[in-house]
Amino acid sequence: RVDGKRLWDSLMELAKIGGTPKGGVCRLTLTDLDRQGRDLFISWVRELGCTVRIDPIGNIFARRAGRNPDLPVVQTGSHLDTQPTGGKFDGNYGVLAGLEVLRTLHDANIVTDAPLEVVVWTNEEGSRFVPVMMGSGVFIGEFTLEQALNAVDREGISVREALNAIGYAGTDQVAGQPVDAYFEAHIEQGPILEAEDTVIGVVTGALGQRWYDVELTGVEAHAGPTPMPLRRDALLAAADLITTVNRIANNHAPHARGTVGYMNVHPNSRNVIPGGVTMTVDLRAGDDATLTAMDAELRSACADLNRFGVSSQVSQVVYFPPQPFAPPLVEAVRDGAGALGLSAMDVVSGAGHDAVYMARVAPTAMIFVPCKDGISHNEIEDAKPEHLEAGCNVLLHAMLARAKV
Amino acid sequence: RVDGKRLWDSLMELAKIGGTPKGGVCRLTLTDLDRQGRDLFISWVRELGCTVRIDPIGNIFARRAGRNPDLPVVQTGSHLDTQPTGGKFDGNYGVLAGLEVLRTLHDANIVTDAPLEVVVWTNEEGSRFVPVMMGSGVFIGEFTLEQALNAVDREGISVREALNAIGYAGTDQVAGQPVDAYFEAHIEQGPILEAEDTVIGVVTGALGQRWYDVELTGVEAHAGPTPMPLRRDALLAAADLITTVNRIANNHAPHARGTVGYMNVHPNSRNVIPGGVTMTVDLRAGDDATLTAMDAELRSACADLNRFGVSSQVSQVVYFPPQPFAPPLVEAVRDGAGALGLSAMDVVSGAGHDAVYMARVAPTAMIFVPCKDGISHNEIEDAKPEHLEAGCNVLLHAMLARAKV
Ligand SMILES: NC(=O)NCCC(=O)O
Ligand SMILES: NC(=O)NCCC(=O)O
C-alpha cells in the first residue's frame, strides 16, 4: 500500500510552485516555474536512486532498475505544466502518483523484474505552445521534433529557446525504446464518478475528437432601419448552428459531445446587425463511424445557414481518432480496484491525455479518480486525499502486475 | 431650387476633415477635427450674414433673421460628428442641406417672415461620450447639462474638458426659445427607399426603442468529459435567446425589430463549455403597446432559459417611446415632394435622431433620402448627388411653407 499522506504532502509542496491566491496553480510549460517543478521532481527521484534521462523535447524519464535489464519498461506518467488558471491535480497527480509508487517499492525494498519509469511529458496543456500534448506527440512521432521546437508563444519565444532557457533541452534518445505498458492516473475532469459515488474509473478508452473553426459571413447593417426580412444576420445563423451542434451530440447519446466554446462577433456593437461571426466547434464520439456521421451533419448544417443569407466556411483543425485502451491493461486496473475492495466502474475519457498518444505505440490504460463537481482547468479544482490514495494504490497494483516481483 | 452641385461640393469639402483612406470620415465629437468642421460651418454661415449662438453643451444655432423678429423660429439641423468608421453623409447632410437652404434664399434675396435657424447638435453619435444625442437631449431637458458635461470618454476626458479644449463651451442660453417647426433631412440608413426606387421618404415618426443588457450564468466545464445532459451551457441558452428575439420581432411585423448585436463569451476557449455570456438586446416597435408586449416576451424568454440550467439577469438601459411626428409638418414634407414632382412614400425612422428629441418640444418632421445598399455607420456609406439635392429642395419647400415669404 502507498503512503497517502506522503502523496498528498508532495502534491501540496509541488503546488506551492506557481501557487495562486485562489488556491490554484499557474505553472505554464517551460517557464522558470516549470523548471522549479521539474527540478523538485528530479531531486525526489534521485533520492530513490533513479537514473534520469531527458530527451530533446524536454520529456523526463526517471527509471528504477529492474532485476532483468532486458525486459521492456513498465511506465507511468503525466505532466507538470498547468493551465493559466489551473489546479493542483491535473497532470501533477499522475506524476506524483508514479513517484509514490517508486517510493513505496523503495521503502519496502522490492525489486521488480522489469524496470519502471515515471515520465514527465512536456507541454500537455497547450496553453502556451500549440499543439497540446507536445511531448508525447513528439515521442510517438505524431509530429516532428523540429515542428515542436519551432512553435512560438504569443511573445514570439520558441519552444527551442524556452527549453534552453530552463536547461531542459536534453540529448537522450528515448523514443523507440520498447515499452511493455503505459499507465496514467488522472483526475476525471468530469462529473460521473462523483455522481455515481465511485472511487475508481477504469478507463476503457478515449473519445475521438474533431475540432473546427467556423467563419460565418452576413451583412453588417443598422439595427433600427433594417427590416427583419432583409437582414443577413451572422449571429442569428450562429445561434442556429449552436443549437444544431447540441442536437447533433444529443442524437448520438450517450458518448457523443458537441460544444461551441469560442465565439467572436463583428462588429459587436449593440445597434449593429452582426456581419461576421468566428466560432469553434468541438465534436467528440466513442467510435469513428459516429464521429464521421457527426462531421457530415455539422457540414450540412453549415451549408444550410444560407437560408439566413449567411455563408459559412468550415475548417477542421484537430482530429484525434477514438482510442481504445489495451484490454489486458484495462483488466489490470479493474483487478487492482477489485483486489483493494474499491468501488469501480468502466468510464471513457472525454478529454485527450498523453496516454491517448502513448496508446498508439504501447499497451496503455488510465485510472481516473473523482474531482470535486467534475471541475478542472480551474483554480478551484479539488480532489479528496483518500481518492488520490486509492487511485495510487490501483496504479501500484497494476504496475506490479505487469512488472512482476 | 437649391444648387445641388454647391451642396455636393460643400459635403465633399467637409468630408476632407477627418477623411479616411477608405473614403469615409472619422470625426469624433469634440475632437480637434470636430472643431475644424464646426469652424468651417460657422465661416460659411457668417458669409450669409447669419448670427451664431453657441449654448453650454456646444450646440451651434446659426440664425438668418426674418421680417418679423417676434415670430417663433423655423429650424433645421443635424450633427457633424461621425462614427469612428463613419461616412460622409450621416448627420453632415442634414446640416449642409440647411446651409444650402440659407444660401439659396441669400442668392435670391428672399426674406422670410419667421427667422430661420440651422442647428448643429453636439455628439449625436455617442461613440465617444454616452448618452447618444447628447446636445439635443440637454436642449430639451431629457438630462441635465451637468450630467452631460461630466460624461467621460475611455481616456477619462470629460465633455466639459473637451468642449473647453476646442473652444465650444458656449454661454448663450437658447433652450426654451419658442420653435415653430423643426425639420431634419437625413440619409435613410436603411434599404427601403432604394428597394422601392423612391427618392423621398416622408418620415411619419420614429420607432420606440428598448435596449437591454442581458447576463447569462451557467457553469463552466470541460467540453470533453462533461456529458450532454449534465451541462449548464450559457452559450446554448444565449443561442436560444437570439432565436427568440428574432421570432419576437417577426411576430410583430412589419415595424418591429429585434437585434442581438453584442455578445461576450466567458471563458471563450474552444474546449470549455461557456459558463457566462453577456449580450445586448435591441427591441424596436412603431407603437408603445407592441413595444411593451415585446418587453414582456423578452423577459419571459429569459426566465425560460432556466430549462438550460442557466440563470439570467435582464436590465433595460435605454428607453425611447415611439415618437410620431407632427402631422402638419409631415404634410408639408409630402406637399414639397409632390410640388417638386418627386417620388415619395411614407416611412418610419428605425433609428434615433436629434429630431426624435426635438419632437417632444416642437412640431417636428424628417425627410429621408436613399443611401447606397441602405448602409451607414460604415466608411462605404454613399448617396447620389441628385437624391441629396432632391431632399434639400423638399427641405427648402417645407421650411418656406412654415416661415412664409
Ligand atoms: N485533459 C485535457 O484537458 N486535455 C485537453 C484536450 C481536450 O480538450 O481533451
Ligand atoms: N441615427 C442613428 O444611427 N442613431 C443611433 C441610435 C439608434 O440606434 O437608433
Side-chain angles (χ1 to χ4, degrees):
Chain A
R1 297 295 172 94
V2 302
D3 181 340
K5 181 169 179 330
R6 179 170 57 188
L7 170 60
W8 181 261
D9 290 346
S10 296
L11 277 165
M12 293 308 114
E13 189 172 341
L14 179 58
K16 285 187 200 148
I17 302 172
T20 65
K22 286 188 185 167
V25 178
C26 174
R27 196 191 309 131
L28 293 182
T29 191
L30 305 186
T31 57
D32 193 66
L33 289 171
D34 188 16
R35 177 192 62 74
Q36 292 174 42
R38 291 162 172 261
D39 287 357
L40 179 60
F41 169 77
I42 288 176
S43 74
W44 279 335
V45 293
R46 287 224 196 273
E47 285 169 14
L48 307 177
C50 291
T51 55
V52 173
R53 290 181 295 170
I54 299 166
D55 76 4
I57 193 65
N59 297 320
I60 305 170
F61 301 81
R63 175 178 287 233
R64 182 171 194 266
R67 208 179 324 267
N68 183 347
D70 296 334
L71 284 179
V73 67
V74 173
Q75 287 183 331
T76 188
S78 198
H79 59 97
L80 292 179
D81 65 317
T82 76
Q83 292 279 327
T85 55
K88 305 183 188 79
F89 304 100
D90 179 358
N92 291 230
Y93 169 58
V95 172
L96 296 200
L99 171 70
E100 179 55 34
V101 166
L102 299 195
R103 281 174 167 169
T104 301
L105 297 178
H106 185 77
D107 287 354
N109 274 312
I110 293 171
V111 180
T112 52
D113 286 354
L116 304 182
E117 260 178 15
V118 180
V119 190
V120 177
W121 301 109
T122 293
N123 183 28
E124 191 270 349
E125 295 289 2
S127 317
R128 182 178 174 198
F129 299 106
V130 286
V132 293
M133 302 185 258
M134 182 178 274
S136 52
V138 168
F139 187 78
I140 66 130
E142 170 68 8
F143 31 84
T144 66
L145 175 65
E146 274 305 303
Q147 286 173 313
L149 291 176
N150 291 333
V152 289
D153 68 9
R154 289 200 176 83
E155 265 82 58
I157 300 168
S158 69
V159 168
R160 180 181 282 110
E161 289 163 336
L163 271 171
N164 282 320
I166 68 165
Y168 273 89
T171 52
D172 294 312
Q173 294 301 333
V174 185
Q177 72 171 4
V179 175
D180 172 69
Y182 176 80
F183 292 101
E184 184 167 346
H186 208 281
I187 55 169
E188 181 194 5
Q189 307 187 285
I192 296 173
L193 293 177
E194 196 178 61
E196 302 286 332
D197 202 11
T198 297
V199 177
I200 299 296
V202 179
V203 190
T204 57
L207 299 184
Q209 307 186 21
R210 286 181 188 266
W211 289 4
Y212 306 85
D213 285 343
V214 178
E215 206 147 323
L216 304 181
T217 307
V219 175
E220 196 175 317
H222 196 309
T226 312
M228 303 306 291
L230 296 181
R231 296 176 172 216
R232 300 174 63 179
D233 183 339
L235 184 54
L236 182 65
D240 189 80
L241 187 59
I242 291 166
T243 304
T244 303
V245 165
N246 189 259
R247 187 182 323 118
I248 290 172
N250 282 319
N251 285 349
H252 294 283
H255 282 319
R257 316 263 189 270
T259 308
V260 176
Y262 172 93
M263 167 166 275
N264 184 32
V265 178
H266 180 83
N268 220 25
S269 169
R270 67 164 76 233
N271 58 349
V272 181
I273 299 160
V277 169
T278 310
M279 60 199 281
T280 62
V281 176
D282 173 328
L283 299 180
R284 307 192 186 203
D287 62 281
D288 222 18
T290 302
L291 196 56
T292 303
M294 292 170 76
D295 174 84
E297 286 162 38
L298 173 71
R299 288 177 190 278
S300 118
C302 286
D304 252 19
L305 297 177
N306 63 12
R307 71 191 190 280
F308 295 101
V310 170
S311 67
S312 63
Q313 210 179 316
V314 187
S315 26
Q316 182 179 296
V317 293
V318 162
Y319 170 56
F320 284 99
Q323 182 63 60
F325 287 150
L329 269 68
V330 173
E331 194 56 41
V333 171
R334 197 180 286 119
D335 280 356
L340 292 156
L342 297 165
S343 59
M345 64 185 284
D346 284 7
V347 296
V348 174
S349 173
H353 292 286
D354 294 308
V356 176
Y357 274 148
M358 280 305 289
R360 298 194 195 168
V361 299
T364 292
M366 290 188 78
I367 302 157
F368 278 177
V369 295
C371 59
K372 189 168 185 310
D373 300 326
I375 288 174
S376 75
H377 287 193
N378 194 318
E379 290 168 85
I380 64 167
E381 179 185 279
D382 203 4
K384 290 192 176 156
E386 60 269 32
H387 292 165
L388 298 170
E389 177 180 351
C392 189
N393 271 321
V394 174
L395 179 65
L396 170 67
H397 191 283
M399 288 182 79
L400 288 184
R402 293 297 291 197
K404 305 267 172 11
V405 181
Chain B
R1 298 293 172 93
V2 302
D3 182 339
K5 181 170 178 331
R6 180 169 57 189
L7 170 60
W8 182 262
D9 289 346
S10 296
L11 277 165
M12 295 307 114
E13 190 174 340
L14 179 57
K16 285 186 200 149
I17 302 171
T20 64
K22 286 188 187 168
V25 179
C26 173
R27 195 191 309 130
L28 293 182
T29 191
L30 304 185
T31 56
D32 193 66
L33 290 172
D34 187 15
R35 177 193 63 74
Q36 293 175 40
R38 289 161 174 263
D39 287 356
L40 179 60
F41 170 76
I42 288 176
S43 75
W44 278 336
V45 292
R46 286 222 196 274
E47 285 169 13
L48 307 176
C50 292
T51 55
V52 173
R53 290 181 295 170
I54 298 166
D55 75 4
I57 193 64
N59 297 321
I60 305 169
F61 301 82
R63 176 179 286 233
R64 184 172 192 267
R67 210 178 323 266
N68 183 347
D70 296 335
L71 284 178
V73 68
V74 173
Q75 287 183 330
T76 189
S78 197
H79 58 98
L80 292 179
D81 65 314
T82 75
Q83 292 280 329
T85 54
K88 305 183 189 80
F89 305 100
D90 180 356
N92 292 230
Y93 169 57
V95 172
L96 296 200
L99 171 70
E100 178 55 32
V101 166
L102 299 195
R103 282 174 167 169
T104 301
L105 297 178
H106 184 78
D107 287 355
N109 275 309
I110 293 171
V111 181
T112 51
D113 287 354
L116 303 180
E117 262 177 14
V118 179
V119 190
V120 176
W121 302 109
T122 293
N123 184 27
E124 192 270 351
E125 295 289 3
S127 318
R128 183 178 174 196
F129 299 106
V130 287
V132 292
M133 302 184 258
M134 181 178 275
S136 51
V138 168
F139 187 78
I140 67 132
E142 170 69 7
F143 32 82
T144 66
L145 176 64
E146 275 306 302
Q147 286 174 313
L149 291 176
N150 291 333
V152 290
D153 67 9
R154 290 203 175 83
E155 266 82 57
I157 300 169
S158 69
V159 168
R160 181 181 281 109
E161 291 164 334
L163 270 172
N164 282 320
I166 67 164
Y168 274 88
T171 52
D172 295 311
Q173 295 301 334
V174 186
Q177 72 170 4
V179 175
D180 172 70
Y182 176 81
F183 292 101
E184 185 168 346
H186 208 281
I187 54 168
E188 181 193 5
Q189 306 188 283
I192 297 172
L193 293 176
E194 196 178 62
E196 301 287 332
D197 202 10
T198 296
V199 176
I200 300 297
V202 179
V203 189
T204 59
L207 300 183
Q209 306 186 21
R210 286 181 189 266
W211 290 2
Y212 307 85
D213 285 342
V214 178
E215 208 147 321
L216 304 180
T217 308
V219 175
E220 196 175 317
H222 196 309
T226 311
M228 302 308 289
L230 296 181
R231 295 174 173 217
R232 300 174 63 178
D233 183 339
L235 185 54
L236 183 64
D240 189 80
L241 187 60
I242 292 166
T243 305
T244 304
V245 164
N246 189 259
R247 187 182 322 118
I248 290 172
N250 281 320
N251 285 349
H252 294 282
H255 282 320
R257 316 261 189 271
T259 309
V260 177
Y262 172 93
M263 166 166 273
N264 185 32
V265 178
H266 180 84
N268 220 25
S269 168
R270 66 164 77 234
N271 57 349
V272 181
I273 299 161
V277 168
T278 309
M279 60 199 282
T280 62
V281 177
D282 173 329
L283 298 181
R284 309 193 184 202
D287 62 281
D288 221 18
T290 303
L291 197 55
T292 304
M294 292 169 76
D295 174 84
E297 287 163 38
L298 173 70
R299 289 176 190 278
S300 116
C302 286
D304 251 20
L305 297 177
N306 62 11
R307 70 190 192 281
F308 295 101
V310 171
S311 68
S312 63
Q313 209 180 316
V314 186
S315 27
Q316 182 179 297
V317 293
V318 162
Y319 170 56
F320 285 98
Q323 181 62 61
F325 288 149
L329 269 68
V330 174
E331 194 55 40
V333 171
R334 198 180 285 119
D335 279 356
L340 293 156
L342 296 166
S343 57
M345 65 185 285
D346 285 6
V347 294
V348 175
S349 173
H353 292 286
D354 294 307
V356 175
Y357 273 147
M358 280 304 290
R360 299 195 195 168
V361 299
T364 293
M366 291 188 77
I367 302 157
F368 278 176
V369 294
C371 59
K372 189 169 184 311
D373 300 326
I375 289 174
S376 75
H377 288 192
N378 195 316
E379 289 167 86
I380 64 166
E381 180 185 277
D382 204 3
K384 290 192 177 156
E386 60 269 30
H387 292 164
L388 299 170
E389 177 181 349
C392 189
N393 272 320
V394 173
L395 178 66
L396 170 68
H397 192 282
M399 288 183 79
L400 288 184
R402 294 297 291 195
K404 306 269 174 10
V405 181

